[in-house]
Amino acid sequence: MNLAHTSLRQLAAALRAKTLSSRELAQSYLDRIARMDPQLNSFITLDAPRTLAAADAADVRIAQGDTGPLTGIPIAHKDIFCANGWLTTCGSKMLSNFVAPYDAHVIEQFHAAGSPLLGKTNMDEFAMGSSNETSYFGPVKNPWDLAAVPGGSSGGSAAAVAARLTPAATGTDTGGSIRQPASLCGISGIKPTYGRVSRYGMIAYASSLDQGGVLAPSAEDLALVLNTMVGFDARDSTCLERPAEDFTAGLDKPLAGLRIGLPREYFSDGVSADVANAIEAALKEYERLGATRVDISLPNTKLSVPVYYVLAPAEASSNLSRFDGVRYGYRAKDYGDLTDLYERSRAEGFGPEVKRRILTGTYVLSKGYYDAYYLQAQRVRRLILDDFQQAFTRCDVIMGPSSPTVAFNIGEKTSDPIQMYLSDIFTISVNLAGLPGLSIPVGFGAQQRPVGLQLIGDYFSEAHLLNIAHQYQQATDWHAQSPALAKA
Ligand code: GLN
């Protein structure tokens, strides 16, 4: 059995049958990481003794017959999730010395499931970025082409999954940070409905948009991991209490009669021809599976980026005020009075993109500008949400590209923040509306770099989105392809 290229379901079966131990599995991934990650930089922190101790504990559980679908399966977590005793940096110098004293709810859920923590993955600083280039720990390389970015902000998680350095990984998505890197790295990724995954212990960027989710090779893998991740937690006041749901239960339903909404704004000039071709081929495949196309419009799409870059920085400026050099994290060495301590610690601890957003956010919230920017953006946010509600009266799912282009080169967009911001044009409105979204690989574009198809559903339609993705993956094998580097 080639462990790195085995699905979660098959790994779980081998563990249950005791033809494989959790220790063996964890060790094999740690060996791959040691061998390949120096090229990719997808992990910030590894702690092999801790991972193997957790694997041993999982083996004891398996021996006692106490197993669930993820028991014994190691999973990597984005370094935005606090994990007790683990360095938790959020990609920032500000937290480069922060060892979390508690577990995020998400991490607790994986512990309870018996899934060993494989390592903490690299990310854009405080999840602000689309290329993983704002990380204090250096850029991550795209396993399909080391000259290309993996996307961001969950770039480490996406690259690690694409290179098969972990069976799956967690991520977070505030404006596209799961779907865009999944797309650029040729893997699957899901951002659930806002409120399905607890934000407790997930370092805050823009709280009304942040949502945890999963990256993995296939939709079936996503469903298995999502089963563990979703759950009510009273410590996050926006976490929703819903009846338990098995996201794998409906995967096999046929798609006959499915109405796919195609927003005209998602098939416009901004989309490169290679991406458009791969998306068209995927839509044809869906027609073969019994789906029909419906033309729809999401007229406020072009406003989503400006609205996001008012609201997200506003929330970030408030959330990041807790990093003051006093309570935890980085503290400047030489300082005079208390104000000087704050100023120097923040000046030295935050990178340029984070500072840009704190400044923007503080500005849009300031007296005299609040109505013109912040309140106005909130109103447009409502219009964007209404567009989707209107669309879902005519279709069951919305499809389009996850990203307007394939992965760009490292360094290509770093000097032009606006160009960088536009790479999330198709993902951001989904966060503004709080809807679930999924990206699956559907082919290759320029320079053999992957193309991702985005599926957007109505609230709480995760199971249906996963079913729609799974049916496509039963009929095609894009999700099973991995970069040459991963075959070594
Ligand atoms: N790329 C977007 C940004 O820079 C979204 C990031 C995210 O989803 N965390 O803010």
Side-chain angles (χ1 to χ4, degrees), residues 78 80 123-124 126-131 134 152-154 172-181 205-206 209-211 308-309 312-313 353 357 420-421 423-424 427-428 431:
K78 185 175 183 179
I80 198 167
M123 57 180 285
D124 279 298
F126 285 104
M128 299 175 187
S130 309
S131 65
T134 71
S153 66
S154 311
T172 59
D173 191 314
T174 305
S177 278
I178 289 174
R179 291 158 289 155
Q180 186 258 17
Y205 160 23
L209 301 159
D210 296 342
Q211 190 57 199
Y308 174 88
Y309 280 99
E353 185 59 32
R357 297 196 189 192
M420 189 72 93
Y421 297 171
S423 59
D424 291 314
T427 49
I428 276 180
N431 299 74

Side-chain angles (χ1 to χ4, degrees), residues 256-275:
L258 181 77
R259 296 170 304 165
I260 300 178
L262 303 173
R264 92 169 67 95
E265 296 77 9
Y266 287 27
F267 293 84
S268 61
D269 297 344
V271 179
S272 65
D274 55 340
V275 170

Side-chain angles (χ1 to χ4, degrees), residues 253-259 286 289-291 464 467-469 471-472:
K253 287 196 197 124
L255 299 187
L258 181 77
R259 296 170 304 165
Y286 271 109
L289 293 170
H464 194 205
N467 160 231
I468 297 168
Q471 287 305 302
Y472 175 85

